[in-house]
Every structure is written in structure tokens, then in C-alpha cells.
Amino acid sequence: MSKLSRMFIIQFLMLNILLSCKSRSIQATATALQEVVPKASIGFQQRKVFDFNQGTVAFSNTFAGARLNQVMQLNDSTFKLLIEPENTPVNPSPWYAFKIWSAHQRRYILQLTYVGTKHRYDPKLQLKNGAWKDVQPIEVSKDGNLASFGLEAGADSLLVSAQELMNSHDEYQWEDSLAKLPFVTRMEIGKSILGKAINALSITESNGKKLIVILSRQHPPEVTGYMAMQEFVRTVSSSSALARSFRKAYEVVLVPMINPDGVDEGNWRHNIAGVDLNRDWENFIQPETKSVRDYILKKVDRQQAKVYFGIDFHSTYHDVFYTNEDQPLRQTNRPGFTLKWLKAFGESIPGFKPNIKPSPNGGNVSKSWMGRVLNAEALTYEVGDDTPRPTLKLKGRVAAEKMMELLLAE
């Protein structure tokens, strides 16, 4: 093993201890990293406080979900922030998140500078009450490689992020709230490479013979898809007459965060091994996807159940519904359901026409595996990056309502 690989392993062991504050076997983590890091050529960011002018102004990436690769001072009030991917090739999803504070209240100009891609996510600033607001105005260079904006910084640190920051700690807290419901059961189904829990939640009051599968957060920056998933799940878990009737007939199987390592490291796309998890649904090389597959297959076998519908929440520039290209041509457990659902979904929101794109993806994505192996009607729901948050929640709620209505009617 090269000195560079050893350096990466040691760096990530230290990071894992600091961020997760969990007691785990360092030797087991080191062994897992030795198996994947040298092969993946991961570029790990250095976790540190970037201090300038003897503490007059500082930037930090020392928290879960952060990404900030380097900071350079151009003048007394202008700083260049370098944003690099974890490895290449990679999708153009340049995630960033950092904190800034200043000894004196003043305005600073920040220049986000991207390596190998263009600006995609306009920055958001977290307010003291936890809410987020867009930072405006933003000036983007003609080539798209640089985005500049101003911030008024002071002694209280400001959190700036490409989208709302939702790391694995936030996810586990959300799971805690769900698990308090009497019809929700949570269990750990596996661990990520760095030892973080991959959890599944069962939402049901049924006999477990009819299953719905919901997946999310395979790709770290795709926060709008994650937020739509949360609203979808809240609707299914609500006290409405429709939700109560649905839970008596169907079991919802939810895996809300498949890639906790990538989320906490601030990766643009991949897990900690530098692999796109939503291209690992044929060979199942990564422990994250393998855990989900094994859990679902064992559950289907143990309960003698069928999966009727599967939905994997993602994000892209605009709403897209990727369906299985061959699905209308073969028998599924609920033939034709996906297109019926999309039609009802679109008709229920004024001005909304679902952008449907049948795609094979070579069979190596989750929706293809669910269709091929589980005989489920399945699709990938890509939620637009800039979807207004009230609209996003409306779509998540209506999507769940139409699913429940149609499945109960058939």
C-alpha cells in the first residue's frame, strides 16, 4: 500500500471518530478502508479551520455534511473557495457547505470556484431559527466555473450550504420521531463502510403480504428528493382516514438514507469508496446496496409477500420520472399502475404535467432491480433542484395520496 493510501486511511479514521463520536472498532474500519480506498482514488478534503489575518476571519468544514477544499484570500474582503469532487468522473453536482465568522462585523465577497464543472446550486444561509433563505444576488461567470456573492459576517458563525444541510444525524433524529408511532418499526439492516447505521422502517398495520418500497439519498446532494420523500412518508403515516385504511392493507418499507458516509463527507455523488450506489444494483459490490437488497429479499421471502410499487427519490435540474422501459411489456404485480398513478398525480396539481422518461439504465439502478427481481411497478422520481419548498411538499403529499387511493381501489 502506498504512503498516500495510508495517509488517506489515517485521515478518515480520525474524521470518523470526531464526527460520529461513536465507539467502534478502529481495526475493523481500517480493514474496510484498506479494501476500498486504494482502488477508488478518493480525494478526501482536509477537515480544518481556515484562519486568516490572525483570526480576523475564518472558515470551517469541521462538521458532518461540509465540503470546502481550500480557501485563498484575494484581498482584505474577498476570498476564493475551492470546491472539488471526491473523485472523477462524477456527475455535475458540486456540493459545498461551510461556516464563516469574523472578529468584526463586515461584508465579505466569496467566490465559489469549481473544479471540472459549473455552478449548479445557489447558496443558502441558515437562519438562527433553523430555517434557510437564499443568498442573493449571485454572479456567475460566463464559463460557469465561478459564482460570487456577498455575506455580512460577524462573531456568530454563519452556515452556508448548496442546499438545506441534512446529514446522517438529522436523518437518525427524523427516524426517531417516526419510530414513536405505534405502527412503525425500525431496524438496522446494515452498516456503511465507515460503520454508520443503514436503517429500514416498516410502516404498517397489515399482515405484511403487500409491500411498497421507498428508497432515498443514494446521492448525497439530492436534498429536494429527500425532502419530497419525507412529505410522502408523513402522508402515509398520518391519521387521515385514507392513510389508516392504506396501512391496514399495505406495508411500507422505507430505507431513507442509503449513503450516510457520502452525505456526511459532503460528496458530490458517491459513497466513501468513490462508487455511485445507484449504479450498483446488478453486482452489489458496495455494502450499502447489498444491505438493502438482502433486507428486502429476506422480508419478501419470510412474509411470502409481493412488492407492488417501488419509488426511489432523487433530484435533478427539473422534475423527471424515470420509469422502467420494458415495464409495460411484461407482467408485474400490479400491471399498469405506474402510468395510472402518474396520470392521477399530474391531474391533481394545476399546471403540473409529469415529465415521464422510460429508461433501461442497463439494469443497474434501483428501479430496474425492483422491476426485474421483485416484479414491482417501479420508478425513479427526480425532484427539481429549485422546486419551491411549499410546492415540493405539495407534490410529496399528493403523490402519496394518489398512490394510496389507486392501490386501495384495485
Side-chain angles (χ1 to χ4, degrees), residues 10-82:
I10 293 170
Q11 183 178 353
F12 262 79
L13 286 172
M14 293 175 66
L15 171 65
N16 193 35
I17 294 170
L18 289 172
L19 292 181
S20 65
C21 297
K22 294 179 180 178
S23 59
R24 67 167 64 93
S25 170
I26 295 178
Q27 182 60 45
T29 306
T31 301
L33 285 170
Q34 287 172 5
E35 293 176 355
V36 296
V37 172
K39 300 175 185 177
S41 301
I42 291 289
F44 301 132
Q45 58 185 320
Q46 183 182 6
R47 299 285 187 172
K48 61 178 291 186
V49 173
F50 301 86
D51 194 334
F52 296 92
N53 303 336
Q54 297 180 334
T56 301
V57 61
F59 301 79
S60 173
N61 64 356
T62 59
F63 57 94
R67 188 158 202 92
L68 180 62
N69 298 88
Q70 188 55 263
V71 183
M72 292 155 277
Q73 186 170 14
L74 303 184
N75 57 46
D76 64 340
S77 62
T78 305
F79 293 84
K80 181 178 180 179
L81 281 60
L82 190 66

Side-chain angles (χ1 to χ4, degrees), residues 233-248:
V233 170
R234 288 188 191 102
T235 304
V236 173
S237 306
S238 73
S239 59
S240 72
L242 175 61
R244 293 198 304 270
S245 296
F246 183 76
R247 292 194 299 267
K248 293 184 184 302

Side-chain angles (χ1 to χ4, degrees), residues 2 115 120 281 326-327 353 402:
S2 69
V115 175
R120 175 170 173 177
W281 287 81
D326 63 341
Q327 199 155 272
K353 183 179 180 181
K402 295 305 160 186

Side-chain angles (χ1 to χ4, degrees), residues 160-188:
V160 180
S161 186
Q163 297 276 34
E164 293 88 338
L165 186 70
M166 296 179 174
N167 57 34
S168 68
H169 175 73
D170 300 318
E171 163 57 29
Y172 298 144
Q173 284 191 321
W174 183 65
E175 291 176 11
D176 288 341
S177 66
L178 279 176
K180 292 177 182 178
L181 297 172
F183 47 81
V184 176
T185 303
R186 176 177 52 178
M187 67 176 295
E188 183 179 302

Side-chain angles (χ1 to χ4, degrees), residues 83-308:
I83 311 298
E84 294 182 325
E86 60 272 18
N87 63 338
T88 57
V90 67
N91 274 40
S93 305
W95 177 264
Y96 56 89
F98 58 90
K99 293 179 181 179
I100 176 176
W101 60 91
S102 173
H104 308 288
Q105 192 78 23
R106 66 168 301 176
R107 186 170 179 80
Y108 293 95
I109 303 300
L110 309 183
Q111 297 180 351
L112 299 174
T113 305
Y114 305 102
V115 175
T117 193
K118 298 179 180 180
H119 178 71
R120 175 170 173 177
Y121 306 110
D122 285 351
K124 296 183 182 299
L125 177 67
Q126 189 175 42
L127 305 178
K128 289 184 178 181
N129 64 1
W132 294 83
K133 74 170 185 177
D134 295 335
V135 178
Q136 293 293 343
I138 309 295
E139 294 184 9
V140 181
S141 61
K142 289 184 178 180
D143 61 11
N145 298 135
L146 185 147
S148 301
F149 59 95
L151 279 180
E152 189 79 20
D156 293 334
S157 64
L158 301 176
L159 174 57
V160 180
S161 186
Q163 297 276 34
E164 293 88 338
L165 186 70
M166 296 179 174
N167 57 34
S168 68
H169 175 73
D170 300 318
E171 163 57 29
Y172 298 144
Q173 284 191 321
W174 183 65
E175 291 176 11
D176 288 341
S177 66
L178 279 176
K180 292 177 182 178
L181 297 172
F183 47 81
V184 176
T185 303
R186 176 177 52 178
M187 67 176 295
E188 183 179 302
I189 63 172
K191 289 189 180 297
S192 67
I193 292 171
L194 292 182
K196 294 184 174 71
I198 299 172
N199 295 327
L201 294 95
S202 168
I203 305 169
T204 191
E205 296 172 276
S206 72
N207 60 10
K209 299 297 183 183
K210 299 178 180 180
L211 305 182
I212 307 300
V213 173
I214 302 174
L215 308 176
S216 182
R217 213 69 190 274
Q218 295 200 69
H219 298 148
E222 298 181 8
V223 172
T224 55
Y226 176 78
M227 294 169 72
M229 176 277 298
Q230 288 184 312
E231 196 63 27
F232 190 101
V233 170
R234 288 188 191 102
T235 304
V236 173
S237 306
S238 73
S239 59
S240 72
L242 175 61
R244 293 198 304 270
S245 296
F246 183 76
R247 292 194 299 267
K248 293 184 184 302
Y250 287 87
E251 177 179 354
V252 173
V253 177
L254 167 66
V255 187
M257 184 171 284
I258 300 177
N259 188 3
D261 291 347
V263 167
D264 286 350
E265 176 54 19
N267 285 356
W268 291 19
R269 179 80 171 183
H270 302 143
N271 72 345
I272 214 69
V275 173
D276 183 342
L277 292 182
N278 204 31
R279 299 298 182 271
D280 188 43
W281 287 81
E282 275 189 316
N283 297 322
F284 295 94
I285 303 300
Q286 301 305 305
E288 295 91 347
T289 46
K290 188 182 300 182
S291 296
V292 180
R293 176 202 63 183
D294 292 349
Y295 170 73
I296 293 173
L297 290 179
K298 288 177 182 176
K299 188 174 190 64
V300 167
D301 181 65
R302 183 175 63 253
Q303 297 175 193
Q304 294 297 293
K306 292 181 179 180
V307 178
Y308 288 88

